[in-house]
Amino acid sequence: GSLEQPTAASQPRTYLAGLFDTPSGEHAIPALVSGPDWLRLRVAMDGVPLPLDSMQAGYARTLDYARGTLITEWRQEDTDGRRMRLRALRFVSLADRRLAVQAVRIEVAQPVWLALEASLEPPDDRLLAVRAASVGAEPEPATWRTADGTGRLAAASVAALQTGGETLPDDPCREPFRHRWGWVAMPDRPVVFSRIVAMVRDTADTATTDPGDTARAALRRARRRGPARLLAAHARAWADRWTESDIEVTGDDGAQAALRFAIYHLVSAANPDDPRVSIGARALTGDSYLGHVFWDTEIFLLPFYIFTWPDAARALLMYRHHTLPAARAKATRLGYRGALYAWESAHTGDEATPPFVIGPDGQVVPVRCGTDEQHISADIAYAVWQYWQATDDTAFLRDAGAEIVLETARFWSSRSDLEDDGRYHIRGVIGPDEYHEGVDDNAFTNGMAIWNLERGLEVAALLRDRWPERWTALQNQLALAPDELARWRDVADRLETGADAASGLIEQFTGFFALESVDLRAFLPWTAAPDVVLGTERTRRSQIVKQADVVMLLALLWDRFPPAVREANFRYYEPRTGHGSSLSPAIHALVAARLGDLPLAERFFAQAAAIDLDDTMGNAGGGVHIGTLGGLWQAAVFGFAGLQSEPDGLRFDPHLPDRWDALRFPVQWRGRHVRIEIQRTAAMRTAKMTLVRGTSLTVYLGTQIHRLARGQSWTCRRESEDQQWQEESQ
Ligand code: BGC
């Protein structure tokens, strides 16, 4: 979304997934490096430069979600009243991610001398030139390598200026990647500038060919096809994605807009063809978090991909399989066994969390997440299992997923200690609520660890039964002895959960209930995050929770908790949560919706939606909060529609907010494509499921169960929320 010319408020970046560089020196961490700015334009009318920024009259920018294009328009008038209109369209192709296209149409209201310069600006100075681009009709690509030598980048581009089918010659320019034209523009002769760019990223471990060769070949093919056909292929690729993933909401335009904005970014962020990269906390849309990958990907984003684009989900999980060696090394370094994934991960999977940050008042604040925020390992195992359950991708489970689940289970077993009280404990961690560090028995961490250990045992049994050869090979490779599995069972059975049998309340960590209880309503509306307003010390000594922690556990392991326990814990923790992380509101919307508290769910949904669209946290300039966007999808599908995967099909438990008249979306499950339509009028609620593609599956709605055959629809009705669903008579 950066402008064609940089301004103080808009510094262009061209990020390529996986292109990181780590500066040398103590405490240095990897960061995405920016490739060349491929959009740069300079325009002059009669020698006077026209600024292409957002301050000009007649400036408008339109993001076309349907086609995945950005259209920017300027209508300019100089001091002599001469007028010009410039419309720029751009896209990075979803049909071929190596290609980017820019096209600009220039129209004038009177004859005038125009000059146009188009350039590819040099990349980040952490990218060192290997080979310069050549000048000429068939320009050779330029190549760079990252200063740390782990990545390479190649770029090639062609540009042309045309009017009425005729190509205008450019001025001789001896600089590569720079084109200049000057011409007398006429009112009835619009000119069109077009540029095709090919960029190819390679990492040291995957490099077999020169990225320059790949870029050259891609550009040659693209040039033959031309910008219009490239746009058509790109638009078709987007149309396909929208067919698989659009959510329609009627009755609430704000929610509709937020969901399409979310889906647009979620689709943009993933690449099913590259299992070596994952999605950073701001995807590729900004500088914040340096492109690092967190639990956001597995817990907040993966569900969208699992249910609408399984190939993209698989690639993301394969990234975690490729980074398993680094996760093993981290566990060993900290004195444990198995795999402890990096809290912040980049290209290698080595820990990339900064050891400290500079706080608001200039003090050095140590960051302990890189060693202590360990739930990431269980989160990844959880995502592997969800993917496997929803896709039945046995090749993935057998060849990659099982190893992740076993190695993370092994980590939890080594991380838990049996103490005098006869229970296992996990001491000194950070849970999702990062306001409280070094805590014992964090409920989320322990709950997920138990679940991970159980899945470790389940996957071991499954391999033993179904793929005994693979099981023997893995057992040998991992040196898994039978007594180790017996210990997993014991740890899973006796790990502290923090649950109080009488009240059903789960203590977020040992001693949490004894902390000061603060009424957060007294601080509304928040002017900054709670830890900033109240200070880190007071926050640490209080029950203020940064983000869904116990509530997150409810959301992920819903069926493990009886309804009264879900209700009690949500009511306890919700008023104590400060939502200092953008991840929190959408999960609260999901849980509130499942509990049937629709006004609250709607409020949290709107709060999550506003984070990027209204920049309510004041940091959207650092990139979109892609985890929040994944959370919005989950709030709609898992929350308002109440979707859950069952062993033989899908379950729904719809509760629509007051203003929503209808909610429609597609999901995929084990190769089937299902469409869901939930409608609400004053008199009737209707839920309709259609099996569009694939073999039959079972669908559940309250107490109703139906085996849905291909091409068939099944409709149920009820008059109000408190009635049971009834099958519509056929
Ligand atoms: C949150 C983490 C999150 C990270 C990146 C932090 O502020 O507390 O849960 O993973 O941001 O989004």
Side-chain angles (χ1 to χ4, degrees):
S2 38
L3 294 166
E4 279 69 3
Q5 283 174 0
T7 68
S10 171
Q11 291 297 313
R13 296 284 187 277
T14 307
Y15 283 139
L16 291 97
L19 193 67
F20 288 95
D21 175 76
T22 314
S24 52
E26 229 190 326
H27 307 313
I29 48 169
L32 280 177
V33 284
S34 178
D37 170 15
W38 60 282
L39 295 161
R40 196 69 68 86
L41 296 176
R42 290 177 191 81
V43 185
M45 199 152 60
D46 261 351
V48 181
L50 298 173
L52 297 178
D53 60 32
S54 56
M55 306 305 284
Q56 308 306 311
Y59 162 84
R61 213 154 33 145
T62 310
L63 179 59
D64 177 350
Y65 301 152
R67 288 196 307 171
T69 56
L70 183 73
I71 297 161
T72 316
E73 174 163 345
W74 290 270
R75 287 166 188 271
Q76 303 207 340
E77 186 170 340
D78 72 1
T79 42
D80 297 332
R82 284 175 301 191
R83 280 176 291 131
M84 186 188 78
R85 178 177 182 232
L86 204 130
R87 265 166 74 83
L89 172 148
R90 71 169 92 144
F91 61 91
V92 177
S93 177
L94 191 68
D96 181 346
R97 288 176 178 73
R98 294 169 297 195
L99 300 176
V101 175
Q102 181 186 37
V104 185
R105 185 183 164 93
I106 305 171
E107 289 162 288
V108 292
Q110 61 296 299
V112 65
W113 174 256
L114 284 187
L116 174 70
E117 181 182 296
S119 59
L120 241 74
E121 294 297 305
D124 194 305
D125 58 12
R126 300 290 304 171
L127 280 165
L128 311 177
V130 174
R131 201 172 53 218
S134 69
V135 187
E138 277 280 331
E140 275 295 291
T143 54
W144 298 268
R145 66 172 182 82
T146 57
D148 71 1
T150 58
R152 295 186 297 173
L153 173 67
S157 101
V158 286
L161 191 70
Q162 289 172 316
T163 180
E166 171 198 336
T167 301
L168 300 178
D170 54 343
D171 297 344
C173 179
R174 298 182 56 79
E175 265 180 85
F177 290 148
R178 197 172 294 278
H179 304 267
R180 292 196 185 103
W181 292 268
W183 73 102
V184 179
M186 302 297 287
D188 49 352
R189 281 177 74 82
V191 301
V192 175
F193 162 80
S194 66
R195 158 154 66 183
I196 307 174
V197 180
M199 276 194 223
V200 175
R201 183 258 334 156
D202 226 336
T203 51
D205 56 341
T206 57
T208 47
T209 49
D210 181 343
D213 293 342
T214 319
R216 185 188 306 107
L219 187 67
R220 201 170 287 155
R221 264 197 313 277
R223 195 180 192 181
R224 273 201 301 272
R225 301 187 67 196
R229 280 168 65 197
L230 295 174
L231 174 60
H234 168 71
R236 265 197 310 277
W238 268 102
D240 290 347
R241 292 272 42 96
W242 281 112
T243 305
E244 300 296 348
S245 51
D246 188 25
I247 298 185
E248 275 178 80
V249 175
T250 47
D252 183 345
D253 293 347
Q256 174 68 86
L259 285 165
R260 292 221 165 108
F261 177 80
I263 294 164
Y264 169 78
H265 279 289
L266 290 163
V267 169
S268 305
N271 180 1
D273 300 324
D274 193 348
R276 297 270 169 181
V277 300
S278 186
I279 301 174
R282 301 300 184 91
L284 295 174
T285 66
D287 294 340
S288 290
Y289 295 111
L290 313 173
H292 295 177
V293 181
F294 296 71
W295 71 318
D296 307 31
T297 309
E298 279 71 22
I299 297 300
F300 296 84
L301 308 183
L302 242 292
F304 168 80
Y305 300 116
I306 289 174
F307 286 102
T308 72
W309 200 5
D311 290 345
R314 182 183 214 273
L316 290 165
L317 293 170
M318 286 310 292
Y319 161 82
R320 294 299 193 177
H321 190 248
H322 286 127
T323 51
L324 200 45
R328 288 194 182 103
K330 179 176 164 186
T332 309
R333 201 173 58 248
L334 295 181
Y336 305 114
R337 301 189 66 211
L340 173 55
Y341 278 94
W343 174 245
E344 296 188 27
S345 188
H347 48 336
T348 61
D350 292 322
E351 186 55 65
T353 305
F356 54 81
V357 292
I358 305 300
D361 41 4
Q363 81 285 28
V364 174
V365 183
V367 178
R368 303 209 164 85
C369 305
T371 50
D372 295 358
E373 194 152 356
Q374 299 176 346
H375 62 82
I376 178 78
S377 270
D379 304 334
I380 291 168
Y382 181 86
V384 165
W385 197 257
Q386 301 308 314
Y387 171 78
W388 145 250
Q389 291 294 296
T391 61
D392 209 17
D393 182 348
T394 53
F396 165 79
L397 186 77
R398 202 182 49 215
D399 302 338
E403 195 179 346
I404 295 177
V405 177
L406 293 169
E407 284 287 70
T408 47
R410 170 179 261 174
F411 165 72
W412 292 116
S413 168
S414 78
R415 183 64 178 83
S416 312
D417 292 315
L418 186 60
E419 297 185 9
D420 292 344
D421 60 355
R423 297 193 72 84
Y424 287 88
H425 297 273
I426 296 180
R427 298 196 179 274
V429 296
I430 302 177
D433 167 20
E434 294 162 344
Y435 291 162
H436 297 93
E437 297 180 327
V439 302
D440 295 337
D441 289 324
N442 165 246
F444 180 81
T445 306
N446 289 22
M448 292 296 285
I450 293 170
W451 183 92
N452 195 165
L453 286 159
E454 289 173 353
R455 293 299 78 67
L457 291 162
E458 191 172 343
V459 96
L462 191 73
L463 289 179
R464 205 163 32 222
D465 287 355
R466 286 178 62 180
W467 305 288
E469 277 172 30
R470 174 67 181 146
W471 173 237
T472 311
L474 256 185
Q475 244 183 328
N476 291 336
Q477 182 201 327
L478 306 178
L480 266 176
D483 61 343
E484 190 173 349
L485 297 192
R487 177 175 157 105
W488 294 5
R489 179 74 270 160
D490 195 40
V491 179
D493 289 344
R494 290 200 283 159
L495 185 61
E496 181 58 55
T497 62
D500 178 71
S503 65
L505 276 188
I506 301 170
E507 188 169 33
Q508 192 185 287
F509 52 79
T510 309
F512 181 86
F513 289 151
L515 299 177
E516 180 199 3
S517 182
V518 177
D519 186 354
L520 292 182
R521 280 169 309 187
F523 298 92
L524 287 174
W526 290 101
T527 48
D531 60 330
V532 175
V533 174
L534 295 172
T536 40
E537 255 323 289
R538 167 120 189 254
T539 309
R540 200 176 59 76
R541 282 185 279 102
S542 77
Q543 292 190 14
I544 300 175
V545 178
K546 180 178 181 184
Q547 61 183 318
D549 192 303
V550 170
V551 169
M552 192 74 220
L553 189 67
L554 301 177
L556 296 186
L557 304 181
W558 190 252
D559 287 334
R560 290 177 80 114
F561 301 102
V565 170
R566 299 170 193 155
E567 185 73 31
N569 282 283
F570 183 74
R571 296 301 168 199
Y572 187 84
Y573 285 102
E574 184 276 311
R576 290 170 166 79
T577 303
H579 307 289
S581 163
S582 67
L583 299 173
S584 192
I587 295 304
H588 278 76
L590 184 164
V591 174
R594 283 195 170 176
L595 294 175
D597 187 341
L598 295 167
L600 193 60
E602 207 177 345
R603 207 190 80 206
F604 278 124
F605 187 91
Q607 186 177 339
I611 290 172
D612 282 322
L613 289 173
D614 298 335
D615 196 11
T616 46
M617 292 180 86
N619 57 10
V624 298
H625 297 75
I626 193 83
T628 309
L629 302 179
L632 282 170
W633 183 91
Q634 291 191 54
V637 173
F638 295 167
F640 295 127
L643 171 71
Q644 279 190 282
S645 194
E646 292 286 336
D648 58 351
L650 295 171
R651 174 180 295 282
F652 296 90
D653 181 16
H655 299 282
L656 296 195
D658 265 2
R659 278 191 297 162
W660 294 25
D661 299 326
L663 169 65
R664 299 185 186 87
F665 58 92
V667 287
Q668 295 180 35
W669 185 84
R670 300 192 188 170
R672 283 96 166 164
H673 293 241
V674 182
R675 279 203 68 78
I676 291 89
E677 198 171 338
I678 301 154
Q679 278 177 293
R680 228 189 53 168
T681 61
M684 191 63 73
R685 280 123 175 86
T686 317
K688 177 177 169 190
M689 283 131 237
T690 307
L691 179 55
V692 181
R693 233 188 305 158
T695 53
S696 61
L697 83 162
T698 305
V699 281
Y700 299 80
L701 191 68
T703 52
Q704 301 289 335
I705 305 175
H706 181 78
R707 190 81 191 162
L708 195 60
R710 187 199 184 108
Q712 196 194 28
S713 292
W714 179 58
T715 307
C716 291
R717 296 181 188 282
R718 65 178 177 191
E719 274 167 25
S720 68
E721 293 287 325
D722 41 26
Q723 285 184 353
Q724 296 289 346
W725 288 98
Q726 296 301 332
E727 212 170 348
E728 187 182 69
S729 44
Q730 300 291 320

